[in-house]
Amino acid sequence: MHNYESLSHAQWECKYHVIITPKYRKKMLYGQIRKRAGIILRLLAKQKGIEILEGHAMSDHIHMALSIPPKYSVAMIIGFLKGKSALWLHREFGKIRGTYGKNFWSRGYFVSTIGLDEERIRKYIRDQDEKDKRSDGNQLDLGW
């Protein structure tokens, strides 16, 4: 049986697989930037009542499984998360060469609904490092 979320006049289950990338898909998400990006995205999601079910940052993109209430559009939430996190990262790391200032994220994003395959998608997000290591060789695991 499903555990549906509820608002005052609705019960819902709206889950999405989202991928966002830095500008020009540069490999910029490492070290302190990677850790702070994860913390910042979680804080911003909490402000809007969004739940990050699963999240994993690679050096050139971030995978997230989000639970978004139906009162918000996906585009509005992604715009909010990318816009505010870019400003926040610029304030903290603006002096780092190549961070593109307030335009940290690329304009686009990937989104797909999560239906009955939720566990499979969450496993895919968790296992991104293993897939990357097989194709690129071992790299330093910095966590998120």
Side-chain angles (χ1 to χ4, degrees), residues 116-131:
L116 299 175
D117 295 332
E118 178 182 353
E119 192 52 44
R120 193 169 95 193
I121 291 170
R122 290 177 76 165
K123 184 179 181 328
Y124 171 79
I125 292 170
R126 280 191 302 269
D127 294 343
Q128 280 298 296
D129 271 340
E130 295 304 315
K131 183 181 174 191

Side-chain angles (χ1 to χ4, degrees), residues 31-78:
Q32 287 295 353
I33 294 175
R34 181 179 180 168
K35 288 178 184 176
R36 285 300 294 162
I39 293 167
I40 290 167
L41 289 169
R42 288 188 191 283
L43 289 171
L44 291 170
K46 191 175 180 181
Q47 282 181 15
K48 292 286 187 186
I50 308 304
E51 185 179 356
I52 298 179
L53 304 170
E54 202 73 50
H56 192 79
M58 301 299 294
S59 62
D60 64 345
H61 64 282
I62 293 179
H63 282 267
M64 295 180 285
L66 302 176
S67 178
I68 302 174
K71 66 181 179 178
Y72 298 123
S73 73
V74 176
M76 192 277 295
I77 291 301
I78 301 303

Side-chain angles (χ1 to χ4, degrees), residues 3 19 25 27 40 49 77 104-105 109-110 120 133 137 141:
N3 291 332
I19 302 172
R25 196 143 180 164
K27 295 187 178 213
I40 290 167
I77 291 301
F104 184 82
W105 302 109
Y109 60 92
F110 168 84
R120 193 169 95 193
K133 284 177 188 173
D141 181 24

Side-chain angles (χ1 to χ4, degrees), residues 85-95 99-102 104:
S85 65
L87 291 172
W88 210 328
L89 289 168
H90 175 67
R91 268 186 263 138
E92 292 186 26
F93 302 103
K95 292 181 174 56
T99 57
Y100 304 110
K102 298 172 189 170
F104 184 82

